[in-house]
Amino acid sequence: MKQENPTLDTPQAVTLAPAATLGKAAPEPDAESLTGPRSPQAAMLGFGGFLLGSLSLAFYLKDISIPANSLVASLPIMVFSSTVMLLMAAAWSMRLGDGVFAAVYGLFGTFWLSFSVLSIALNNNWMGTFENVEQRQATANFVLVWAIVIVLLTVTTLRLPRAFTFLFVVVSLTLLVLFGAIEQAIDQTINHPLKPSDPWLVYVGIGSMFLFIALGMYIFASVMHSATGAKRLPLGKPLLKSR
């Protein structure tokens, strides 16, 4: 009986036909198809793209007070590395029949793409100057929309290994904190226009961003260890058990 190579992003069940039906002993599953070199794991590509975009944005926010710091310098990484790699991982997962991680990679891939379009538009004043309150509020709404979607992703994927849940939780918190930081900046612009300063919440967001980057690195290392024949680093048991 032909057996497809499953993705290792989610647990897979091996189904064997009854021996009585075939008239002979059922074949043993091929362990080499589940682990080892060249095993089909879209996470090798997806988490690489996730880390590239996240690191690029984190380093930009870390130096946000430097006048010469520009988000535009990070856009090639976000568009041509993160977006492309994540969407390729989504297509890879779909081909393997793994709809859950196809959705995960697709969501994060389109986040980086839409964020890049927003950044280019604001940098070129296509929607008015960024210092304008209305434009800052549009950016806050953008971050809030994505925060809501990632929170929904978090609560609907509690049956994944615990490392993924922790990652999604920290990403959700980071987006909510950055939304608060933008609202702080708007308040300062309105009430203290002569004393511009960085909102303190942005530094909390930077700290949480580096935390989910570390979690992403751990998951990436776990997948690469498994794909190259080493023992997979533990990702934890799911918070909710499957039926």
Side-chain angles (χ1 to χ4, degrees):
M1 184 181 74
K2 183 178 179 181
Q3 182 181 334
E4 295 182 358
N5 286 335
T7 175
L8 289 183
D9 290 328
T10 54
Q12 300 289 332
V14 178
T15 304
L16 300 177
T21 303
L22 300 177
K24 59 181 180 179
E28 292 292 330
D30 182 10
E32 290 299 321
S33 67
L34 303 179
T35 58
R38 297 180 297 281
S39 61
Q41 300 183 70
M44 293 186 289
L45 190 61
F47 274 87
F50 171 81
L51 291 172
L52 283 167
S54 300
L55 282 167
S56 181
L57 181 58
F59 287 146
Y60 163 75
L61 291 175
K62 180 180 69 69
D63 297 328
I64 196 171
S65 298
I66 300 176
N69 187 32
S70 174
L71 182 61
V72 177
S74 302
L75 295 183
I77 294 177
M78 296 177 185
V79 177
F80 296 105
S81 295
S82 295
T83 299
V84 172
M85 291 174 71
L86 281 160
L87 294 182
M88 287 176 64
W92 186 354
S93 294
M94 284 188 286
R95 189 171 181 83
L96 293 171
D98 187 356
V100 172
F101 275 86
V104 170
Y105 300 137
L107 279 172
F108 281 106
T110 51
F111 167 80
W112 289 116
L113 182 59
S114 59
F115 180 75
S116 300
V117 172
L118 176 67
S119 300
I120 293 172
L122 291 175
N123 184 74
N124 290 279
N125 297 327
W126 293 346
M127 298 181 292
T129 59
F130 182 72
E131 288 74 15
N132 185 283
V133 172
E134 288 77 12
Q135 303 310 317
R136 291 200 174 189
Q137 190 60 58
T139 304
N141 292 342
F142 172 89
V143 175
L144 180 60
V145 167
W146 275 104
I148 293 171
V149 172
I150 301 302
V151 168
L152 178 61
L153 174 70
T154 303
V155 299
T156 55
T157 55
L158 297 178
R159 290 181 176 84
L160 292 178
R162 194 166 298 183
F164 294 103
T165 300
F166 289 163
L167 174 67
F168 298 154
V169 166
V170 180
V171 172
S172 301
L173 290 176
T174 300
L175 290 172
L176 291 172
V177 169
L178 291 178
F179 168 75
I182 298 173
E183 290 293 331
Q184 273 190 335
I186 293 173
D187 179 71
Q188 290 177 359
T189 301
I190 295 174
N191 298 317
H192 307 284
L194 300 179
K195 296 180 180 180
S197 61
D198 295 330
W200 61 268
L201 270 176
V202 73
Y203 298 103
V204 178
I206 294 170
S208 62
M209 186 172 291
F210 279 109
L211 176 57
F212 76 65
I213 287 171
L215 288 168
M217 287 180 173
Y218 179 84
I219 296 172
F220 180 73
S222 176
V223 175
M224 291 299 290
H225 270 267
S226 175
T228 53
K231 184 178 179 180
R232 189 168 190 163
L233 301 177
L235 297 178
K237 295 181 180 180
L239 293 176
L240 293 181
K241 295 182 179 180
S242 300
R243 295 183 188 180

